[in-house]
Structure formats: structure tokens, C-alpha cells
Amino acid sequence: MARMKPLSIPEKVLVHLSKIRFDADEEILPDEISQSGIAENVGISRTHVPRAVKELIKVELVSEGKGYTRSGKKRMKIYLITPKGMAKVREIEERLMGQIMPVKIQNTIVQGMTLGQIEKAFHRKIDLFGLAGDEEFLDLDSQWSSGIVDLADSPKPSDFLDREDELEQIKHFLKSRARILVVYGARGMGTSSLVRYFTDLLSDVNILWISMARNHMLKAMEKRLETFAGMVGASAQQLLESRSDALIVFDGYFDVEEEVVEFFSDLVERQEGARLIITCRDSTPSYSR
């Protein structure tokens, strides 16, 4: 049977560093970016860390510095992923998503599909970097969370740095009792990328992404809602009125028809139901607000 090509130790270190989020201005830094933190999280001996990061520093994927960490009493070496390193992580992800190997899904062995095709077909996210690389088949039944994810309309994940304040605000929204969050900014400022990145951090949440550019007519939006509602065992009305375990992203609200304005006005008045994140430009016409 086919085998996944396992990640090398430097690749594992790079992927680990890509997951650590913090404000670059913080005086006390996460333990995870120190040598001991890297060793513990990657599952290697601390003595192997210097050699691994040396390779990454040489090709400018990681930079080295010194700072205080949360558990340290003195300044120590810390390692930060660079924009070039983030781009490399995306390459690794694309490589893994193109792998073909048997997978166990719903107690059935499925063959002949790439991991990317599996994600799209079953609307689930695969933890690519949690794969050991030596499995005869991937047991996705044990890996997958219960959340159903439809990100077909979403932009492709991009390199992402230094937006911790905004991410914390979105996290706070999901923990609060609020139902609707509006993320706005000038065109090209990355509002869609910010929300797209955030969705990758979630588990056990049913997520639907609706591109307003592709589905600008009300009927098109309603069709997307009905299809997704069927996936989670509900009607579109139930999804909007009572499914608090669902998150719906309406991406790119801008110059819309009156019937769409009325649709969103009705959503705003609802007290319960799916959480909504709406991205829009700060120059949205007044008649669309």
C-alpha cells in the first residue's frame, strides 16, 4: 500500500512555528518558540533542535533572536518563522494534499483519491501535520471532529502574520452571546484572509462560507444555505433560527440588491440561530447598509 512521505525534522519544526501566534511586541514570549518548547511539541530531543533550526535559518525560513519566555528566568534563544517560511509551509501543505493513499471514512476504506479530494467530498478538514507518515491507511474516522465544513467559496489560505489583535476579537465574538460580527476594511486590506485563517483554527463547528461575489442574488444564497443545511440535518430556516453550532461567513457584502438588504435586515433581528460573520468594505453604499 501507499505510504505518506513523512515530514523531515526541519519541516516539522517549521510547521510547528507556523502555528504559534503572538504579538511581536510582547515582552514575554511563548515557551513554544524556545529550544525546549520546540523539542517538546515536535517530539524530538532538545539536542536535535539547533541542527534543525540551523538548516531553516540558512535558507531564511526562520530567524533567531533572544528573549524572555513565560517559564524562563533569563533571556534565551527564540525562533520566529519568516514570511518566506510561511510560504514554505503552504508548499508543504499543498504537497501533502496531493498525496493519494487509502483512507478509512465512515468505516469504509476509500482508495484512489487525494487528501484534497477527500476534504472536498466529505466536507471535513484533515490535520495534515498530525500524520505520522507510516500508516498503511489514514483513519480519518478517529481524526475528524464532528464539524461539517464547506469552504468551497472561500479564498485560498494565504501567508498570514501579525494580526493577533483582530484574531482575538473574533475569538471573543464566538465566546460571547453576540450572533453577528462585521469585519470591514478597505478593499485589499485582507478582511477575507483574516476570517479565512480564523476558520482553520476551529473544530467541532459547522462552517459555511458564502461568497457574495459568486452568490450576489438572493436565490443563489438561499440555495447554498439549503444545501449546507441538508448536510447538518436541518432545514435552511432551522439553520438560521436555531443552530447555534453553525457559523456562516458572508464574504464581500458590498453593493447588493434590495431583496438581499431585506434578507440581512431579517437576520439582524433574529435573537437565536447560527453565528454570522460578514466581511464588507468600509465604503459600502449607504443604501446597502
Side-chain angles (χ1 to χ4, degrees):
M1 287 189 177
R3 293 286 198 279
M4 289 285 294
K5 180 181 178 181
L7 297 179
S8 66
I9 290 179
E11 286 178 330
K12 289 181 179 180
V13 171
L14 189 65
V15 169
H16 162 68
L17 292 176
S18 74
K19 296 179 180 179
I20 310 305
R21 299 293 164 186
F22 60 95
D23 190 330
D25 295 328
E26 290 181 23
E27 294 184 3
I28 306 300
L29 302 171
D31 293 325
E32 291 86 349
I33 63 175
S34 67
Q35 289 190 4
S36 58
I38 291 172
E40 180 179 353
N41 284 274
V42 174
I44 60 176
S45 167
R46 181 171 177 173
T47 58
H48 291 161
V49 174
R51 179 186 300 177
V53 296
K54 183 178 181 180
E55 293 183 29
L56 298 171
I57 292 171
K58 185 177 180 180
V59 291
E60 300 179 339
L61 301 180
V62 167
S63 63
E64 181 182 275
K66 283 195 172 184
Y68 291 96
T69 63
R70 290 167 188 154
S71 63
K73 296 182 179 180
K74 61 180 181 179
R75 283 166 57 87
M76 60 181 64
K77 288 184 178 181
I78 51 98
Y79 302 94
L80 308 175
I81 190 168
T82 65
K84 186 176 178 180
M86 291 296 292
K88 182 63 177 179
V89 170
R90 294 299 182 196
E91 289 181 15
I92 295 171
E93 182 179 27
E94 290 179 3
R95 184 190 84 203
L96 295 178
M97 290 294 281
Q99 295 280 336
I100 298 177
M101 71 173 302
V103 294
K104 181 183 177 184
I105 306 171
Q106 300 172 356
N107 293 318
T108 301
I109 301 296
V110 177
Q111 303 193 52
M113 297 177 70
T114 67
L115 297 185
Q117 291 170 337
I118 292 291
E119 278 198 345
K120 290 181 179 179
F122 291 88
H123 301 283
R124 294 291 200 279
K125 290 185 64 61
I126 298 173
D127 179 13
L128 297 174
F129 305 124
L131 304 177
D134 57 357
E135 302 95 335
E136 291 188 0
F137 63 86
L138 303 183
D139 187 356
L140 298 183
D141 286 339
S142 63
Q143 183 190 110
W144 276 345
S145 67
S146 60
I148 292 177
V149 179
D150 183 350
L151 299 175
D153 276 356
S154 71
K156 184 178 180 180
S158 59
D159 300 339
F160 193 89
L161 294 170
D162 298 331
R163 299 292 290 273
E164 294 310 305
D165 289 344
E166 292 89 342
L167 284 173
E168 284 301 319
Q169 290 180 47
I170 300 177
K171 291 177 183 178
H172 178 73
F173 159 69
L174 285 187
K175 294 177 182 178
S176 72
R177 299 181 65 181
R179 282 192 55 248
I180 301 175
L181 175 69
V182 177
V183 182
Y184 67 92
R187 184 175 184 177
M189 290 297 291
T191 54
S192 298
S193 295
L194 172 67
V195 177
R196 176 65 177 83
Y197 179 85
F198 178 74
T199 60
D200 281 345
L201 303 179
L202 301 176
S203 61
D204 298 320
V205 178
N206 299 311
I207 306 173
L208 170 62
W209 188 292
I210 297 179
S211 167
M212 299 291 291
R214 297 181 185 177
N215 305 276
H216 61 280
M217 301 298 291
L218 181 59
K219 287 186 178 180
M221 285 195 298
E222 289 177 337
K223 184 176 181 179
R224 293 280 287 129
L225 288 167
E226 289 171 1
T227 300
F228 183 73
M231 295 178 185
V232 299
S235 66
Q237 183 175 356
Q238 290 172 332
L239 179 67
L240 295 173
E241 293 183 352
S242 61
R243 291 299 295 264
S244 59
D245 61 340
L247 171 65
I248 304 173
V249 178
F250 291 96
D251 181 34
Y253 184 96
F254 182 56
D255 188 1
V256 298
E257 300 290 337
E258 182 177 351
E259 62 178 0
V260 176
V261 176
E262 293 177 356
F263 171 78
F264 278 94
S265 296
D266 180 62
L267 288 182
V268 170
E269 294 177 359
R270 298 177 189 269
Q271 299 299 313
E272 298 180 354
R275 299 291 187 93
L276 310 177
I277 295 181
I278 304 170
T279 71
C280 64
R281 300 183 205 171
D282 53 12
S283 58
T284 299
S286 59
Y287 54 78
S288 294
R289 299 183 182 183

